[in-house]
Amino acid sequence: EYFIDQLRSDGVVHLPRRVTNEITNNTRYEFYTQGGVIFATSRILVVDFLTDRIPANLITGILVYKAHRIIESCQEAFILRLYRQKNKQGFIKAFTDNARSADTAFSGPPSVSKNQLAPMYLCFPLRFHIAVNSFLEKHKPEVVEIHVSMTPAMLAIQTSILDILNACLRELKRYNPALEVEDLSLENAIGKPFDKTIRHYLDPLWHQLGAKTKSLVQDLKILRTLLLYLTQYDCVTFLNLLESLKASEKAFGENSGWLFLDSSTSMFVNARARVYRIADEKLNQKGKVSEKRDVKKENELKRELVLESNPKWEALREVLKEIENENNNSEDLGGPGQVLICASDDRACAQLREYIIAGAEAFLTRLYNKTFGKDERAGEVWIKDKKAVKSKGNARPDTGPQAKKAKLTASSKQNKHKKQQDQTIIQMIGKTEEEKQEELQVEDNKELSSSQESGIEETIPEDFHVNLPSDCYYGIFKNPLTIIHPLQGCNDPYALTRVLHEVEPRYVVLYDAELTFVRQLEIYKASRPGKPLRVYFLIYGGSTEEQRYLTALRKEKEAFEKLIREKASMVIPEEREGRDETNLDLIRDAKPASVSTDTRKAGGQEQKSVQQTVIVDMREFRSELPSLIHRRGIDIEPVTLEVGDYILTPDICVERKSISDLIGSLNNGRLYTQCTSMSRYYKRPILLIEFDPNKSFSLIPRGSLHQEISSNDVTSKLTLLTLHFPKLRILWCPSPHATAELFEELKQNHPQPDAETAMAVTADSEILPESDKYNPGPQDFLLKMPGINAKNCRALMNHVKSIAELVTLSKDKLTKILGNAANATQLFDFIHLTYGEAISKGKSKR
């Protein structure tokens, strides 16, 4: 939709069309043959290629967007392989805006360049192309870098966090010598990709790691979050996180000890000193306790709020004043210019909006009253940590009386609210950066809408409107239009691009540094030659924020240089785009379907073989397994199945479950229904449990296996499932590659399935397997009776024609049929005795 809108705004007449599920299967062939440029999702396109619903020979070429995401088994690579097998003349061009990910195409296994079947070795960084580079240099935006100095307390806190972070990294290296030392450097630890690096190394071995290593990984996440909060948010929010961490025992494992380090104590003291201080009026100037004192007042501690303002806020206010002065004298520029302020996420945007409207003092006071106004323990804790720092620093200890608990009252409702808020912050720490940005909708935003509603209404007229999603911007002023926008966390990936082209700001204030948006601003300025653009760059000098940005800049440059070197020295093969039949990427692993040799039959004469086929449910094309099955030389028939996900043979039906899907299906009972249908209509029902190849091949952590059956235990539920469905078989596969290999082995020497028959099988279908001559309804009813189980049910149905005949049999006859007197007695009593008689008979036996 974004690209079509841009082409429409550029005056293009013949716009591209989109293939969606609104276009039926019958009319899709006609839709394709109309020609033109077509946008299609990978799931629709792969099914249309497999069913010949798209004329592959008429396709001029395919453009692949975000090529760095393509791996061997993903849908895009599957589509390109199918396209090249059917069309040798069309072109394939792939492009990406992620230099570091494109660099991985040449480092290690060349997965991207091989499987795209595109000339990735001709990939050249467009940024360094002569025409592009000269144009960007000619139309540079005006950049004003403002290096903001951190306060002494912030510097002390940053130093403490880095010391603790370095200590945790040393411990992690000591417990795991196999980890790469370069990746565990302090410089990489403060960068965004560090979490992915740790997961890459440790996820496959997670179930084998000790408690100390797992605790250290959790500590690293917490410390990285603290560094982010220090430079990104206000002093109250940072202190709230610290207090929540210390109060929550669940946030730390038993082996976490960094809270007891000297650096940790200093960090807590400085964090509290940024928010408040304790006023001790009972000490005179000589430091001795006054003789005349009130004992009741002596036990009370009074806080004096400090509420240290964020240094970036003052810099932002000065920038806005400068822009305002220029706009007042902007007759030469054609009127006042629009202003765009970009912060990292929703929380930062909400705080900036309230600061600009209400001021720092009012905002921090409101936030403090909401967070710590009724906290009755903060004063006592602060005094204890202060004494600890003084004693460690060889300072003279306090001569006054021991501080006692502050007598501050708080309602139970407010305490409960505080605990819930702390728990929410604690839960956010273990999540990835993307999950944080999606879920971190602070309650500041909710309260801001009510507390500042009147002020905002006075500032912004009623006709204030920007044609953007409501969750993507924060309007501040109408004249000139001033908007605060988050860099991350928007539902629309093109939200920032839409803002730039719709608002057309003359001034952009980067409150937080983001390299990708800086590159986007360069392109935006170059696309509007002659129109002024000034970018204000706010960054803490000598901070981890600055180091994080410089590291990203350096790695981007290294990736570009490596691409250029690889391109200069790479040997280009003669057949590079899969246009020849000899291309190895197009050869499927299995033998051709024409002939096969078996020395046990007719003296080794060649026997005609049948092409292997697997029927796959349409919904399974979200996974990579169909691509891997096709790669092994097995044809795929995509249909809509109600029972099972994969039909391997007329008798074998497979239901595939990932770990998360397995747990969810066990909890809501969906897997029981699926197994019932598979067991009813197929001789060999199979439950396939497929693991993520990048994570541990373990269903539950080591040492978590319970001896007794529990309703909340996954293994207990699987045990009950196998007891209830004796025919059900379970396959455990460590990766989709192993699954594809297993499917090929299971299909050997078996007939091929029929797609129409598989589609006709539904949960309420009357079509039964040829070997099953009994109706499923009476079978289910019979299995519910006492004394009837999966072993003797078939024998009873072979001797008894109906339920009506069953009730006429004697107990001896039932014993002879069932082969067990106890089972026969249970069934006979159930049929012939009333409920009361059965109860009394049971009591008399006891």
Side-chain angles (χ1 to χ4, degrees):
E1 290 179 354
Y2 170 75
F3 289 121
I4 293 175
D5 290 342
Q6 291 300 310
L7 292 172
R8 184 183 293 111
S9 63
D10 292 339
V12 176
V13 179
H14 301 287
L15 295 174
R17 294 172 297 144
R18 296 172 57 216
V19 179
T20 62
N21 53 7
E22 297 177 358
I23 303 175
T24 60
N25 298 339
N26 299 331
T27 61
R28 204 172 289 169
Y29 182 85
E30 298 178 359
F31 183 87
Y32 286 127
T33 53
Q34 292 175 6
V37 179
I38 297 175
F39 283 105
T41 62
S42 57
R43 183 184 171 195
I44 292 177
L45 202 56
V46 70
V47 173
D48 289 347
F49 267 115
L50 290 171
T51 57
D52 290 328
R53 203 173 287 143
I54 180 172
N57 60 314
L58 299 181
I59 299 177
T60 306
I62 294 182
L63 298 177
V64 184
Y65 187 43
K66 295 184 179 180
H68 59 274
R69 294 185 176 180
I70 294 183
I71 57 175
E72 177 186 0
S73 53
C74 76
Q75 297 296 345
E76 286 78 8
F78 191 14
I79 291 169
L80 296 177
R81 190 166 67 246
L82 291 171
Y83 169 65
R84 187 52 84 205
Q85 287 173 350
K86 300 179 180 181
N87 187 327
K88 302 297 183 182
Q89 304 301 322
F91 67 84
I92 298 175
K93 296 187 182 298
F95 51 97
T96 177
D97 59 356
N98 193 320
R100 294 182 60 188
S101 296
D103 172 39
T104 60
F106 302 105
S107 60
S111 57
V112 178
S113 59
K114 271 181 55 181
N115 294 287
Q116 285 177 180
L117 299 174
M120 277 293 293
Y121 27 78
L122 299 179
C123 170
F124 192 87
L126 291 178
R127 184 176 184 78
F128 293 93
H129 194 280
I130 296 177
V132 176
N133 189 35
S134 60
F135 195 82
L136 290 177
E137 290 291 331
K138 185 179 178 181
H139 301 283
K140 276 186 174 181
E142 180 186 355
V143 180
V144 179
E145 293 188 12
I146 301 177
H147 291 267
V148 184
S149 299
M150 301 175 70
T151 64
M154 293 177 68
L155 285 172
I157 294 171
Q158 178 179 270
T159 302
S160 300
I161 297 176
L162 291 177
D163 289 342
I164 301 170
L165 192 63
N166 203 15
C168 290
L169 289 173
R170 288 198 303 267
E171 285 290 299
L172 189 63
K173 294 175 187 176
R174 187 165 67 90
Y175 281 93
N176 301 273
L179 293 178
E180 292 290 338
V181 178
E182 294 182 359
D183 293 330
L184 294 182
S185 64
L186 189 60
E187 180 185 5
N188 291 330
I190 63 178
K192 288 184 179 180
F194 184 72
D195 286 335
K196 294 182 180 179
T197 303
I198 288 292
R199 289 199 300 268
H200 172 74
Y201 285 119
L202 297 182
D203 274 356
L205 307 172
W206 190 254
H207 64 296
Q208 301 176 359
L209 299 177
K212 182 64 177 178
T213 299
K214 294 180 179 180
S215 178
L216 287 171
V217 172
Q218 178 70 6
D219 291 343
L220 290 174
K221 290 183 180 180
I222 293 172
L223 294 169
R224 282 164 45 81
T225 305
L226 288 174
L227 278 177
L228 182 69
Y229 271 56
L230 177 63
T231 57
Q232 201 161 310
Y233 304 126
D234 59 277
C235 59
V236 178
T237 303
F238 180 79
L239 180 61
N240 185 27
L241 174 62
L242 272 182
E243 298 289 4
S244 302
L245 291 176
K246 195 165 187 177
S248 176
E249 297 179 358
K250 295 182 180 179
F252 307 102
E254 297 178 356
N255 298 306
S256 296
W258 66 267
L259 277 173
F260 305 101
L261 297 176
D262 295 350
S263 299
S264 175
T265 306
S266 174
M267 175 175 59
F268 274 87
V269 171
N270 284 286
R272 289 171 182 142
R274 296 178 64 201
V275 180
Y276 57 81
R277 67 171 179 266
I278 303 299
D280 194 354
E281 299 177 353
K282 297 171 288 298
L283 296 180
N284 57 17
Q285 295 180 354
K286 296 181 179 181
K288 297 181 180 180
V289 183
S290 176
E291 296 180 359
K292 297 180 181 180
R293 61 179 183 267
D294 189 353
V295 178
K296 182 176 285 188
K297 289 184 178 181
E298 182 179 328
N299 295 331
E300 295 182 358
L301 298 175
K302 182 181 178 182
R303 291 181 180 178
E304 290 185 359
L305 295 183
V306 177
L307 299 180
E308 179 181 270
S309 178
N310 196 325
K312 267 192 183 182
W313 291 353
E314 291 299 325
L316 177 61
R317 184 173 291 277
E318 293 178 3
V319 168
L320 293 179
K321 286 182 180 179
E322 179 181 332
I323 294 174
E324 183 181 3
N325 294 333
E326 288 196 8
N327 280 330
N328 293 333
N329 304 317
S330 59
E331 296 179 358
D332 298 337
L333 298 175
Q338 321 280 30
V339 182
L340 174 63
I341 305 172
C342 293
S344 60
D345 54 22
D346 261 349
R347 172 183 283 184
C349 290
Q351 290 187 353
L352 289 181
R353 180 172 70 166
E354 186 171 1
Y355 163 72
I356 294 174
I357 295 175
E361 184 177 357
F363 166 56
L364 291 175
T365 302
R366 182 194 67 81
L367 195 59
Y368 174 83
N369 290 333
K370 187 196 76 169
T371 309
F372 294 110
K374 301 298 181 181
D375 191 354
E376 60 182 10
R377 290 171 35 184
E380 178 193 11
V381 176
W382 191 86
I383 286 293
K384 288 181 179 178
D385 285 336
K386 183 177 179 181
K387 287 184 177 180
V389 171
K390 283 186 177 181
S391 61
K392 289 174 182 176
N394 296 324
R396 181 169 55 87
D398 292 339
T399 58
Q402 182 180 3
K404 294 188 177 180
K405 192 175 183 180
K407 296 184 177 180
L408 299 176
T409 59
S411 63
S412 59
K413 182 178 180 180
Q414 288 169 331
N415 286 336
K416 183 179 181 181
H417 173 76
K418 179 69 166 55
K419 291 179 180 179
Q420 290 175 350
Q421 185 184 12
D422 294 349
Q423 186 63 24
T424 303
I425 296 176
I426 295 302
Q427 292 172 352
M428 293 305 303
I429 292 177
K431 299 183 179 295
T432 62
E433 294 293 332
E434 292 80 2
E435 293 171 334
K436 287 179 190 175
Q437 302 303 338
E438 292 177 0
E439 299 184 15
L440 200 55
Q441 304 294 336
V442 243
E443 296 181 6
D444 297 350
N445 302 6
K446 299 179 181 178
E447 293 203 2
L448 182 60
S449 60
S450 59
S451 64
Q452 297 294 336
E453 186 174 0
S454 59
I456 295 174
E457 288 179 354
E458 294 176 0
T459 309
I460 304 174
E462 294 181 357
D463 60 347
F464 176 81
H465 177 69
V466 179
N467 187 20
L468 296 170
S470 58
D471 64 338
C472 287
Y473 74 95
Y474 296 81
I476 304 297
F477 303 112
K478 174 65 177 179
N479 291 314
L481 181 62
T482 303
I483 289 179
I484 302 179
H485 195 286
L487 293 168
Q488 301 171 355
C490 296
N491 296 327
D492 182 5
Y494 301 100
L496 271 173
T497 307
R498 295 178 190 273
V499 169
L500 287 175
H501 289 280
E502 184 161 345
V503 178
E504 294 187 349
R506 186 187 301 168
Y507 307 98
V508 176
V509 182
L510 290 179
Y511 185 83
D512 291 306
E514 185 70 34
L515 184 59
T516 55
F517 185 61
V518 171
R519 300 299 180 218
Q520 195 171 350
L521 285 175
E522 292 179 348
I523 303 299
Y524 168 72
K525 175 61 177 71
S527 64
R528 301 165 69 251
K531 295 184 179 181
L533 175 64
R534 181 182 298 172
V535 179
Y536 290 92
F537 203 94
L538 304 183
I539 197 166
Y540 284 113
S543 67
T544 55
E545 180 191 26
E546 182 182 30
Q547 183 60 48
R548 192 182 303 118
Y549 179 78
L550 294 176
T551 301
L553 199 63
R554 176 178 58 82
K555 290 190 175 181
E556 182 198 55
K557 181 181 178 182
E558 292 175 353
F560 278 136
E561 292 174 350
K562 186 173 183 180
L563 286 173
I564 295 173
R565 289 196 304 268
E566 291 287 345
K567 192 258 182 184
S569 60
M570 180 174 289
V571 178
I572 301 177
E574 181 180 359
E575 172 29 48
R576 63 179 183 236
E577 293 189 34
R579 301 179 188 271
D580 195 351
E581 295 291 345
T582 60
N583 189 288
L584 298 178
D585 293 306
L586 299 178
I587 298 177
R588 298 161 76 181
D589 296 343
K591 290 182 179 180
S594 57
V595 294
S596 63
T597 303
D598 190 350
T599 57
R600 299 175 62 185
K601 294 182 179 181
Q605 297 180 7
E606 292 183 348
Q607 305 287 334
K608 291 185 178 180
S609 63
V610 179
Q611 175 62 39
Q612 300 290 317
T613 304
V614 171
I615 300 173
V616 182
D617 184 38
M618 290 285 194
R619 290 159 292 190
E620 280 298 303
F621 283 93
R622 297 189 185 99
S623 68
E624 55 186 341
L625 183 56
S627 173
L628 297 176
I629 295 175
H630 185 269
R631 188 70 180 263
R632 300 192 71 86
I634 302 174
D635 286 346
I636 291 176
E637 288 192 47
V639 297
T640 301
L641 299 176
E642 288 195 26
V643 178
D645 293 328
Y646 297 85
I647 308 299
L648 305 186
T649 69
D651 297 333
I652 301 178
C653 176
V654 179
E655 180 71 29
R656 188 188 69 89
K657 296 289 183 185
S658 62
I659 299 301
S660 58
D661 192 16
L662 173 69
I663 296 173
S665 300
L666 286 172
N667 290 335
N668 59 25
R670 186 161 55 95
L671 184 56
Y672 176 86
T673 305
Q674 292 170 337
C675 291
T676 301
S677 301
M678 288 196 301
S679 301
R680 175 178 297 171
Y681 298 110
Y682 292 95
K683 281 185 178 181
R684 299 172 64 186
I686 295 176
L687 172 62
L688 168 67
I689 302 177
E690 192 174 84
F691 289 78
D692 188 340
N694 298 322
K695 295 186 178 181
S696 59
F697 185 40
S698 175
L699 186 62
I700 57 176
R702 183 176 57 181
S704 301
L705 187 63
H706 300 286
Q707 298 296 329
E708 299 180 357
I709 290 180
S710 172
S711 60
N712 298 324
D713 189 33
V714 178
T715 54
S716 299
K717 293 179 181 180
L718 280 177
T719 303
L720 294 175
L721 191 71
T722 54
L723 288 174
H724 198 84
F725 300 99
K727 293 197 304 181
L728 182 66
R729 297 294 179 262
I730 299 180
L731 289 181
W732 304 83
C733 296
S735 67
H737 294 268
T739 304
E741 185 178 355
L742 274 175
F743 280 7
E744 186 179 11
E745 294 177 0
L746 289 172
K747 285 184 62 62
Q748 289 181 1
N749 303 323
H750 285 86
Q752 305 307 310
D754 181 63
E756 294 183 0
T757 304
M759 292 174 62
V761 176
T762 63
D764 301 325
S765 176
E766 297 297 331
I767 300 176
L768 298 174
E770 297 180 359
S771 59
D772 198 344
K773 57 185 178 180
Y774 304 112
N775 293 327
Q779 287 188 56
D780 294 340
F781 179 76
L782 195 62
L783 286 170
K784 298 294 188 295
M785 293 184 177
I788 304 298
N789 52 45
K791 295 181 179 179
N792 55 31
C793 180
R794 182 70 60 173
L796 183 62
M797 290 189 295
N798 289 335
H799 288 84
V800 182
K801 295 181 179 180
S802 64
I803 299 292
E805 182 181 350
L806 175 64
V807 300
T808 62
L809 298 181
S810 63
K811 187 183 297 185
D812 295 338
K813 183 67 174 176
L814 289 174
T815 303
K816 183 177 179 182
I817 295 175
L818 298 178
N820 186 290
N823 291 337
T825 302
Q826 289 182 11
L827 180 61
F828 185 83
D829 292 345
F830 172 77
I831 295 174
H832 296 282
L833 297 180
T834 63
Y835 178 76
E837 291 174 338
I839 293 296
S840 60
K841 185 175 181 180
K843 290 182 178 179
S844 63
K845 286 184 178 180
R846 285 198 294 268

